[in-house]
Amino acid sequence: MQEPSGLNAGQSEVDALRAELARREQEFELLARRLAHDVQGMLQNIEGFAGALRSRAADRLDERDRHYLDRIAANALKGNALVNDLLQYHRLASHPIDEADVSLPALLRRVAQRLEQEHAATPVPLHFAGEEDRLQGDAALLEHALHALVSNAIRFSAGAADPRIEVRCERRGGFCELSVADRGMGFDPAEAGRLFEPFVRLQAADAHPGNGMGLAIVKRIAERHGGSVRAVGAPGRGATFTLSLPGVRAHAPAAQAVPQGPGALRILLVDDDALVLASLGSMLERAGHHVTSVSGGQQALAAFEQALDTQPFDAVVTDWGMPQVGGGRIAQVVKQLRPATRVVVLSGLPPEGIRGETASVDAVLAKPVRLAQMRALFPGTGPQPGDRG
């Protein structure tokens, strides 16, 4: 039986509108990536020239001059971080959810490793409690949200007599509630609703640095999972942030990582975009590789040189445009120290946009990186299911 011609015409119009929307979203994504690349390049130049001037004119600068140059460099770095956060916030509106059973202990281990690198001078007093040991959702996004909440707790617990931070996961009805509680400075309960708005900061910028995007990104991650996030606290009495995530199956086994075997590689992953770091790290670990993740070029070079004396890295996957030390410099140093190490560069621009500057690079991938691209470069040690990305 044929459908009425009016319905066919209506469906065709809907399909045409969807195709047009997809085309415009793709154009906007490319524009955003190009704009972010150019803005970050300018900010990196500002930071770099401020540092160069500080060194070259050191004997002619007084304390105030040096303070001005330090402020210029610091604000250039802040601007670079803000661009990254804005890109993350935009991408999360349409980021595909790779839903799976996620091991909470494994998630905590990855977050703790990143925090140890970021807060090397101060031990992170992180504790886990609760009856649940797994979650349902996108491992990379959940890692990003948990990292953001724990980082927030660390920042606002500075100076507390007992800076203990507790992560708890409990089932309440059909929801799994993942909470992060601290004993820090807390906040006015009347302001709880504003905490998750973009650019909102309740504390002085000098006392607690940030750009007000972290909790907004956490909220968007929760919403993409069909859940929510809330906060309770009081001045001087700490705060608790809770992610409420639906759809946890009562008896589903947690997904197991592919065992590391003869084909497993030691990969150093470098990106100042935390969401990219978590997403690609998850891809590579599920393929059976051993991944070390760092969030900056200086950290990457230190980690690479340190590993040379024990277990050197087989591959380095690095973002191209980062402040202070970018992907180009990382590639040069890696190839000088160990030519056998493969270097893969990630860029917000299409590969041809930076091809002339990548003599030390083995491959260039445009962001966002697809699962099939990573598998082609690093096949791994386990079965390779069809690409969903």
Side-chain angles (χ1 to χ4, degrees), residues 29 32-33 78 84 90 100 103 106 110 186 229 249 284 324:
E29 176 69 21
R33 292 206 307 268
K78 287 180 181 178
N84 271 340
H90 162 67
S103 166
R110 291 198 297 271
V229 62
R249 295 192 295 273
L284 293 167
Q324 297 181 325

Side-chain angles (χ1 to χ4, degrees), residues 90-104:
H90 162 67
R91 289 170 185 158
L92 283 170
S94 57
H95 188 285
I97 300 296
D98 186 10
E99 189 169 299
D101 290 323
V102 179
S103 166
L104 185 56

Side-chain angles (χ1 to χ4, degrees), residues 1-320:
M1 180 179 178
Q2 294 185 342
E3 294 183 0
S5 58
L7 291 178
N8 288 333
Q11 185 60 47
S12 298
E13 185 176 351
V14 169
D15 291 342
L17 289 172
R18 285 176 175 167
E20 176 65 14
L21 179 61
R23 184 185 66 80
R24 293 190 180 188
E25 286 180 347
Q26 187 175 24
E27 288 179 351
F28 183 80
E29 176 69 21
L30 180 59
L31 175 64
R33 292 206 307 268
R34 286 184 178 275
L35 181 61
H37 181 275
D38 291 347
V39 170
Q40 288 179 321
M42 290 186 287
L43 290 169
Q44 288 160 22
N45 285 336
I46 292 171
E47 188 270 335
F49 283 121
L53 181 59
R54 197 183 199 283
S55 299
R56 287 174 60 87
D59 57 343
R60 288 171 283 165
L61 300 175
D62 60 23
E63 185 175 349
R64 178 174 291 184
D65 295 333
R66 288 190 289 272
H67 172 71
Y68 288 158
L69 287 173
D70 288 344
R71 289 288 298 271
I72 290 172
N75 279 281
L77 292 174
K78 287 180 181 178
N80 188 80
L82 178 58
V83 172
N84 271 340
D85 284 344
L86 288 172
L87 278 177
Q88 288 177 17
Y89 191 72
H90 162 67
R91 289 170 185 158
L92 283 170
S94 57
H95 188 285
I97 300 296
D98 186 10
E99 189 169 299
D101 290 323
V102 179
S103 166
L104 185 56
L107 196 68
L108 283 170
R109 281 196 300 272
R110 291 198 297 271
V111 170
Q113 288 171 355
R114 290 173 58 187
L115 292 170
E116 286 173 3
Q117 295 173 348
E118 296 164 5
H119 303 274
T122 306
V124 178
L126 187 61
H127 303 272
F128 174 71
E131 60 190 33
E132 289 297 308
D133 63 356
R134 55 192 172 79
L135 299 169
Q136 184 85 15
D138 186 302
L141 295 184
L142 293 177
E143 178 182 335
H144 183 83
L146 183 58
H147 176 270
L149 292 178
V150 176
S151 295
N152 202 56
I154 293 171
R155 191 163 67 249
F156 288 96
S157 295
D162 181 10
R164 176 187 175 96
I165 297 169
E166 182 176 278
V167 179
R168 179 179 293 271
C169 188
E170 297 178 322
R171 190 189 307 279
R172 296 186 184 277
F175 288 77
C176 183
E177 300 208 327
L178 177 63
S179 63
V180 177
D182 65 66
R183 301 178 181 180
M185 64 186 301
F187 59 87
D188 183 349
E191 302 284 357
R194 297 182 59 232
L195 286 171
F196 302 99
E197 297 175 6
F199 304 114
V200 169
R201 302 176 62 194
L202 303 185
Q203 309 296 338
D206 292 338
H208 299 281
N211 54 38
M213 288 299 297
L215 292 177
I217 291 173
V218 170
K219 180 183 178 183
R220 180 155 284 187
I221 289 173
E223 291 173 344
R224 287 304 315 279
H225 283 80
S228 61
V229 62
R230 64 183 184 274
V232 295
R237 299 179 61 183
T240 300
F241 290 82
T242 302
L243 278 170
S244 185
L245 305 171
V248 180
R249 295 192 295 273
H251 303 291
Q256 299 295 316
V258 177
Q260 295 179 8
L265 302 175
R266 287 178 52 79
I267 299 175
L268 178 61
L269 181 60
V270 193
D271 204 303
D272 57 349
D273 185 329
L275 183 58
V276 172
L277 206 62
S279 178
L280 292 185
S282 178
M283 285 184 194
L284 293 167
E285 286 180 348
R286 283 189 294 173
H289 301 300
H290 177 81
V291 180
T292 298
S293 299
V294 296
S295 58
Q298 291 178 335
Q299 291 174 295
L301 294 180
F304 187 84
E305 292 180 15
Q306 184 177 4
L308 287 174
D309 297 328
T310 53
Q311 291 181 294
F313 289 102
D314 302 296
V316 174
V317 179
T318 178
D319 185 28
W320 177 255

